[in-house]
Amino acid sequence: MTAPRRAAVLGHPIGHSLSPRLHRAAYAALGLADWQYQAYDVTEEQLAAFVAGLDESWAGLSVTMPLKQAVMALMDHVEPLASVVGAVNTVIVQGGGRRPTLVGANTDVHGIVAALREGGAAGGSAGAAVLGAGATASSALAALAELGCTAPRVYVRALGRTGPLARAAHRMGIEPVFRPMAEALDGLLSSDLVVSTLPPGVADPLAADLAGRSVTGVLLDVAYDPRRTRLGDAWVGSGGITVDGERMLLHQAVEQVRLMTGRPAPLTAMDAALGQALGG
């Protein structure tokens, strides 16, 4: 029998997180009735103290914005993918010794790849675009590289703030081309894979610009509030395939459950819980 363990999602603010629904559904399906999963509102200033308080009763943490980069310095080990990407969204707590060992991992890349494949994306992409330059954009670059695109176009609101993403791309062996957001429409029209990492609503002007245009590729908009964004609606209306952000959320959580419990995650049960949380 597996001993009771604790896990949690950390972020600021955190009230919107669906991670508790997904992980608790997984625990129930796996028969881990004594496992607990909570949500904690933690700022960057509070993060170090929270992590220092972890003991062997903990299985792991899900880490969301704005903590994905700050948490890296608090790990005993960072897995190669997370190190290359420059973002940790999963902390695995391993027992032994006077205190547990903390391992930082990244399951966002897995989530993006799995979500794009749900939309029909395959390897050998001829062209790809990323909207945004934050921590999730770095994971998007790694995911696109796994799908065969090593020279994507990245459209950003401020070219002067692309340094961290450019350095992450260099570590991955990827050569993105950075362009201002004003040029994004042409990039969308010529790409067969698009990942938008922009906050909800920021891509709405692009959605309006897509009216009357024709696209054929797959779009993943990582935002999922609303469940189908205006950009997603416009993409479908222009002939493309949209994968809603909830699919990335689901698949990255599936990988987190596997890492924290050591068991294959119950995808069907977690998918059902996600559907219920989003209103069917």
Side-chain angles (χ1 to χ4, degrees), residues 162-196:
T162 59
L165 184 59
R167 289 190 289 273
H170 179 74
R171 292 192 297 269
M172 300 177 209
I174 299 171
E175 298 181 358
V177 178
F178 292 97
R179 292 286 185 265
M181 195 64 69
E183 299 178 11
L185 179 61
D186 288 341
L188 298 187
L189 297 177
S190 60
S191 297
D192 53 12
L193 290 180
V194 178
V195 181
S196 173

Side-chain angles (χ1 to χ4, degrees), residues 13-250:
I14 201 64
H16 68 286
S17 178
L18 296 177
S19 292
R21 296 278 195 103
L22 294 172
H23 285 257
R24 290 169 188 167
Y27 299 163
L30 291 171
L32 302 176
D34 294 331
W35 281 48
Q36 300 177 11
Y37 191 98
Q38 303 295 330
Y40 291 92
D41 195 307
V42 175
T43 66
E44 289 189 59
E45 294 73 20
Q46 298 167 330
L47 180 61
F50 189 99
V51 170
L54 298 175
D55 58 28
E56 292 186 7
S57 70
W58 285 85
L61 301 173
S62 307
V63 182
T64 187
M65 295 304 294
L67 308 177
K68 293 182 180 182
Q69 293 166 332
V71 77
M72 293 183 69
L74 306 175
M75 299 294 98
D76 297 300
H77 304 288
V78 176
E79 292 190 346
L81 176 60
S83 180
V84 168
V85 169
V88 161
N89 79 314
T90 306
V91 176
I92 308 159
V93 183
Q94 298 178 340
R98 290 180 298 175
R99 68 174 183 84
T101 298
L102 306 181
V103 179
N106 183 300
T107 67
D108 282 337
V109 176
H110 173 88
I112 293 170
V113 170
L116 286 171
R117 283 179 171 157
E118 278 191 359
S125 170
V130 175
L131 305 180
T136 305
S138 183
S139 295
L141 289 182
L144 290 172
E146 186 172 328
L147 291 169
C149 183
T150 57
R153 294 175 297 276
V154 181
Y155 297 93
V156 299
R157 290 177 283 177
L159 287 171
R161 299 176 63 183
T162 59
L165 184 59
R167 289 190 289 273
H170 179 74
R171 292 192 297 269
M172 300 177 209
I174 299 171
E175 298 181 358
V177 178
F178 292 97
R179 292 286 185 265
M181 195 64 69
E183 299 178 11
L185 179 61
D186 288 341
L188 298 187
L189 297 177
S190 60
S191 297
D192 53 12
L193 290 180
V194 178
V195 181
S196 173
T197 67
L198 297 173
V202 174
D204 287 357
L206 273 174
D209 291 341
L210 276 174
R213 307 278 187 158
S214 177
V215 298
T216 59
V218 178
L219 164 73
L220 168 64
D221 192 336
V222 302
Y224 57 87
D225 185 14
R227 188 171 187 177
R228 170 68 59 82
T229 63
R230 287 184 61 187
L231 180 61
D233 279 334
W235 191 263
V236 170
S238 297
I241 297 171
T242 291
V243 182
D244 298 329
E246 70 198 58
R247 307 312 297 172
M248 172 196 168
L249 174 71
L250 170 66

